[in-house]
Amino acid sequence: KQIAPTIFVIFGGTGDLNARKLAPALYNLYLEGWLPEQFSIIGTGRTQLQDEDFRKKLLEDINQFSRSGKAEKEKWEAFSQHLFYQVSDLNDFKTYKEFGTRIKHLETEWDTKANVIYYLAVAPNFFPIIADNLAKSKLADDSQRVRIVIEKPFGHDLESAKELNQLLMRTFDERQIYRIDHYLGKETVQNIMAFRFANSLLEPTWNRNYIEHVQISVTEQLGAGERAGYYDGSGALRDMIQNHLLQLLCLVAMEPPISFNADEVRNRKVDVLRAMRRFSPDDVRLSTVRGQYGNGWLEGKEVPGYREELKAESNTETFAAVKFFVDNWRWQGVPFYLRTGKRMHQSASVISIQFKEVPHFMFPPETADSIHNNRLIISIQPEMSIRLQVQAKRPGLDMILNTVDMVFDYKGTYSSEAPEAYETLLLDTMLGDQTLFMRGDQVEEAWDLIMPILTTWQGRKSLNFPNYSADSWGPETAEALIARDGFHWFTLP
Ligand code: BG6
């Protein structure tokens, strides 16, 4: 695959996302030979910097955050020649004219037209301002060459997501818009599609006849910390479930696409969201749980509660668990339990697919584990593995059964390190491949699904927050939510 001459304009060039993710990803792509000779990154921000200062800053960031460790001097020198900085005032038309001049200048120097990718790593209130100004200054006219990358959050609710879509569509075609959900770039997440659709063994059992329930759990030890100010306007449902967890659910539940084409795949995913059962206020009461962490101890350190971090009273949820159903032939009656939370006992993103019991269990109950269903565990992070739990006879003179794991573990199988999600996603924006990006209708459908939960929650203010302590598995009611159906949340040892 060859990348055309490309100019990357990063709005929020001095920001956190560029420092931690974008710059290290671009540098690693460079090291691996993906970037063409005719390639420039223009970082932009309000801070007054010269190109040299910007380069120095990114070198420090890369040394700190890149998976490939400290940059080697010679390679860095060569890479840094592609880096430029422009001071900008995003409300000022002049800023955009200056971009235009720079882009023209580079194209003249290269003697060719370039693809231009505008990466909006800024607060969402700047999205409309930037999109409008790009249009007005005619920087977005060439629909074949210009792309725009939008970071999350994509809207705050259904209405604002629709508005943002409409606003972007005034200037860009859908195929120019790359809405980021970084979970889709994770190696293990991409593998869900490979695993499901390149193996004939799974498909016959991948439905309501054999699968009892599905769990998707993304827990973090990290608290809201310094992001509490931003996070407080969001909460776990908006921050994680609306996007990352529902995207994982789509990958598990989607029908087989006929090809690995961006719209084919995204059509099948949006079908899942459309089939998901909408909640009445009563369903919200019965099928959702929210929580907020108090203070406590985590790995030997005393950690503050959410309200202490925020330095204010708040009813924003830092934990959410929801039981969903997908109303179609494949999944009718199969519950999908999703949960996510901050400051929890373990940082782990795990999908557990539990199969039904055998029709008749001929072994005496005392000879087997109490749960002896087959389970497929897809561990996304930090462990990267797929394990199939099966029953087997323990060696010995008695017939005693144990649950054992058949494991595919990335570390044991491959010696090379997996790329970071942002490497995959940035490369795809340059290649023009939208498979791993959210289409406008997907985002709206996911908002539509969670809106009744958000509104019902907003209406019920008497909460007993904080209701879980650091280092726990969330509020007790979350265990009750799943225990009522006879199941337990699955955790890796
Ligand atoms: C982000 C959320 O989208 O994902 C954060 O805004 C969260 O709150 C993060 O911590 C988790 O991502 P990862 O890749 O660390 O699992």
Side-chain angles (χ1 to χ4, degrees):
K1 290 180 205 167
Q2 271 228 308
I3 296 177
T6 299
I7 301 168
F8 231 94
V9 180
I10 303 180
F11 293 91
T14 53
D16 208 44
L17 186 76
N18 194 26
R20 285 171 186 272
K21 300 290 181 188
L22 307 183
L26 287 164
Y27 182 58
N28 283 326
L29 287 172
Y30 175 80
L31 291 184
E32 296 195 0
W34 283 102
L35 303 187
E37 191 42 46
Q38 291 160 331
F39 178 80
S40 284
I41 299 170
I42 307 173
T44 176
R46 266 175 311 184
T47 322
Q48 296 282 341
L49 294 181
Q50 299 295 323
D51 289 345
E52 272 317 311
D53 308 322
F54 183 58
R55 291 173 183 171
K56 221 167 115 207
K57 176 189 173 334
L58 290 196
L59 175 61
E60 282 165 20
D61 296 334
I62 285 167
N63 284 341
Q64 191 179 351
F65 298 116
S66 167
R67 71 177 167 92
S68 54
K70 276 199 159 193
E72 276 176 43
K73 194 165 185 293
E74 256 174 44
K75 293 199 169 127
W76 170 258
E77 292 285 310
F79 175 72
S80 69
Q81 298 312 304
H82 298 266
L83 299 177
F84 304 94
Y85 185 78
Q86 187 187 314
V87 184
S88 63
D89 172 354
L90 298 178
N91 287 301
D92 186 355
F93 190 64
K94 228 174 73 206
T95 287
Y96 300 84
K97 284 192 82 170
E98 280 165 13
F99 282 135
T101 313
R102 272 202 182 230
I103 291 166
K104 280 247 164 62
H105 178 78
L106 284 165
E107 286 182 333
T108 315
E109 191 185 310
W110 296 344
D111 195 19
T112 177
K113 284 259 171 208
N115 286 350
V116 185
I117 301 175
Y118 297 104
Y119 199 114
L120 275 51
V122 287
N125 55 317
F126 285 111
F127 296 169
I129 300 170
I130 297 173
D132 274 349
N133 276 305
L134 288 175
K136 274 195 215 134
S137 51
K138 308 212 170 302
L139 290 179
D141 280 359
D142 188 344
S143 64
Q144 297 302 316
R145 297 191 187 277
V146 172
R147 293 170 197 153
I148 186 162
V149 187
I150 311 274
E151 267 294 331
K152 69 173 275 243
F154 197 94
H156 185 69
D157 51 21
L158 177 60
E159 208 181 316
S160 54
K162 277 187 174 165
E163 267 171 32
L164 181 53
N165 270 335
Q166 280 160 12
L167 179 127
L168 291 171
M169 298 302 268
R170 285 210 298 262
T171 308
F172 303 94
D173 295 341
E174 181 61 44
R175 73 194 158 75
Q176 293 174 272
I177 307 172
Y178 290 70
R179 297 176 193 77
I180 295 256
D181 181 322
H182 79 282
Y183 263 62
L184 296 178
K186 289 182 191 271
E187 193 63 38
T188 34
V189 173
Q190 293 178 66
N191 199 28
I192 299 173
M193 266 196 283
F195 189 66
R196 275 198 64 197
F197 302 128
N199 294 298
S200 63
L201 174 85
L202 297 169
E203 174 56 20
T205 59
W206 205 262
N207 56 50
R208 64 188 300 274
N209 298 326
Y210 293 92
I211 292 178
E212 187 173 63
H213 79 274
V214 176
Q215 296 179 20
I216 301 177
S217 168
V218 177
T219 57
E220 296 178 279
Q221 288 187 324
L222 223 72
E226 287 174 1
R227 284 175 76 224
Y230 157 78
Y231 187 87
D232 203 55
S234 169
L237 196 68
R238 286 188 168 96
D239 186 48
M240 297 293 287
I241 296 203
Q242 189 272 344
N243 38 75
H244 308 322
L245 277 86
L246 282 176
Q247 286 300 309
L248 295 178
L249 186 150
C250 286
L251 291 169
V252 172
M254 71 201 273
E255 294 300 314
I258 53 167
S259 69
F260 194 51
N261 159 284
D263 272 328
E264 258 308 311
V265 170
R266 296 188 300 175
N267 287 343
R268 297 293 78 84
K269 286 170 72 186
V270 82
D271 284 348
V272 176
L273 292 168
R274 287 176 41 225
M276 289 180 74
R277 193 176 302 166
R278 271 34 182 184
F279 286 70
S280 71
D282 267 351
D283 295 332
V284 175
R285 193 169 49 77
L286 291 171
S287 301
T288 71
V289 167
R290 56 184 155 155
Q292 189 190 77
Y293 59 85
N295 58 359
W297 289 79
L298 194 61
E299 306 213 310
K301 267 206 214 135
E302 195 167 8
V303 285
Y306 176 71
R307 291 175 182 190
E308 291 159 61
E309 287 174 328
L310 184 68
K311 299 189 182 66
E313 283 298 295
S314 162
N315 281 337
T316 297
E317 83 283 357
T318 60
F319 174 97
V322 184
K323 173 179 163 184
F324 287 107
F325 284 100
V326 182
D327 284 333
N328 61 15
W329 274 47
R330 188 185 285 271
W331 295 113
Q332 192 52 244
V334 180
F336 285 75
Y337 302 95
L338 272 50
R339 80 166 170 188
T340 184
K342 295 209 180 281
R343 210 55 110 204
M344 295 184 58
H345 177 65
Q346 203 178 50
S347 288
S349 302
V350 180
I351 301 174
S352 151
I353 293 154
Q354 183 160 316
F355 290 81
K356 290 186 173 169
E357 278 226 51
V358 291
H360 169 66
F361 198 69
M362 69 175 194
F363 306 94
E366 65 276 13
T367 63
D369 293 334
S370 59
I371 297 175
H372 41 253
N373 305 48
N374 291 137
R375 242 190 315 221
L376 183 73
I377 316 290
I378 302 173
S379 178
I380 291 164
Q381 62 186 33
E383 183 181 305
M384 298 169 69
S385 67
I386 298 181
R387 50 184 74 220
L388 181 62
Q389 295 193 325
V390 295
Q391 301 300 307
K393 181 188 174 304
R394 187 159 82 192
L397 299 176
D398 294 329
M399 178 56 97
I400 305 274
L401 303 187
N402 275 159
T403 303
V404 295
D405 286 4
M406 295 165 69
V407 186
F408 155 53
D409 164 36
Y410 281 65
K411 265 207 193 118
T413 311
Y414 300 111
S415 54
S416 60
E417 205 185 343
E420 286 252 357
Y422 274 94
E423 291 170 42
T424 303
L425 297 176
L426 290 178
L427 180 61
D428 283 353
T429 61
M430 292 185 257
L431 291 168
D433 183 346
Q434 293 186 302
T435 314
L436 301 179
F437 294 83
M438 312 265 282
R439 209 170 53 190
D441 54 346
Q442 269 180 324
V443 183
E444 289 183 15
E445 208 60 53
W447 277 118
D448 186 67
L449 175 66
I450 70 157
M451 282 319 292
I453 308 178
L454 284 173
T455 23
T456 312
W457 279 3
Q458 259 156 26
R460 281 198 209 124
K461 292 254 154 65
S462 56
L463 301 164
N464 55 342
F465 282 0
N467 61 351
Y468 72 98
S469 56
D471 199 22
S472 72
W473 284 110
E476 280 170 16
T477 40
E479 192 56 45
L481 172 78
I482 189 166
R484 272 204 301 275
D485 298 337
F487 310 130
H488 295 285
W489 290 105
F490 173 82
T491 51
L492 282 173

